[in-house]
Amino acid sequence: MSNAEDVSTNNIQSDSGIEIFADIVTSMSRFLTRFTSIEPFKEAQLGLAEWLGLMVLTSRPGLSNKQFAKLLGTTVQRAAQISDALKRANLISVDQAENDARTYSMKVTASGAQRLSELNGKLTPLITSGLGSRVTSLPATRRNLTRLLRVVTPTKNSPGSGKAEDAKGTRKKAAS
């Protein structure tokens, strides 16, 4: 094999889907580590988990800890740690659920909504300027990642499982 063929073969291998995917995952890991160390997060005194927790609870008030954990993609124990930190900071309230004395319902407080709004107000221009016109590709990226996640990590709610979820992440028996 000639040197030209070696180079050609190496380029094909280095551009394989799995290597590109590994590069994306590595870049995302570095990004997330650095992202939460920027000044707006420091000023808000929030980490990535707490910020994401507030984002989830803002769009879905009244979640139980189990639903919260599922939407954050973490364990129930880790979700409880996040909600406890948010509650101690008076950013969320945790009240007994109306329909089940064993379950608690979480909601963002006015203070939590204000802190989240201020942080997001500082993050938005950074993200927009960093991505430029590519910011419009974020919804497609979300769809692609969600689709990929469903393929590589099938769940009880996968097609054909007979289960479906409502908007809060609660499983319900699918209609027959």
Side-chain angles (χ1 to χ4, degrees):
M1 190 184 302
S2 72
N3 285 342
E5 288 173 320
D6 284 341
V7 171
S8 173
T9 303
N10 289 338
N11 286 342
I12 291 170
Q13 291 172 347
S14 67
D15 288 339
S16 74
I18 195 68
E19 289 182 11
I20 292 169
F21 181 73
D23 286 344
I24 291 169
V25 171
T26 302
S27 295
M28 283 304 299
S29 178
R30 280 193 317 268
F31 172 79
L32 292 173
T33 300
R34 293 176 185 167
F35 184 57
T36 56
S37 68
I38 64 175
E39 200 57 37
F41 278 102
K42 290 177 184 177
E43 290 171 6
Q45 298 178 341
L46 290 174
L48 182 64
E50 293 79 16
W51 175 62
L52 293 174
L54 287 174
M55 292 294 291
V56 165
L57 291 172
T58 297
S59 64
R60 294 175 177 91
L63 291 176
S64 70
N65 192 57
K66 186 175 180 180
Q67 293 165 328
F68 186 54
K70 182 174 177 139
L71 290 169
L72 286 177
T74 191
T75 64
V76 173
Q77 181 180 9
R78 178 65 181 129
Q81 292 170 342
I82 295 166
S83 64
D84 287 346
L86 292 170
K87 183 179 176 185
R88 278 192 308 275
N90 194 34
L91 302 176
I92 66 167
S93 63
V94 180
D95 301 308
Q96 195 168 13
E98 295 174 13
N99 57 349
D100 186 350
R102 300 166 297 167
T103 306
Y104 291 87
S105 170
M106 296 180 275
K107 295 179 183 157
V108 176
T109 63
S111 173
Q114 180 179 348
R115 184 154 340 158
L116 180 64
S117 177
E118 290 170 1
L119 175 56
N120 287 347
K122 293 175 182 176
L123 293 176
T124 299
L126 293 173
I127 293 166
T128 303
S129 68
L131 291 174
S133 63
R134 292 177 300 278
V135 75
T136 58
S137 67
L138 288 176
T141 301
R142 177 179 49 199
R143 284 190 304 275
N144 288 332
L145 289 173
T146 300
R147 193 174 308 127
L148 177 61
L149 186 61
R150 285 185 186 134
V151 171
V152 298
T153 60
T155 65
K156 294 177 187 175
N157 299 329
S158 296
S161 69
K163 300 279 184 172
E165 291 182 3
D166 65 15
K168 289 187 177 180
T170 306
R171 271 187 282 187
K172 299 189 299 186
K173 185 80 172 163
S176 339

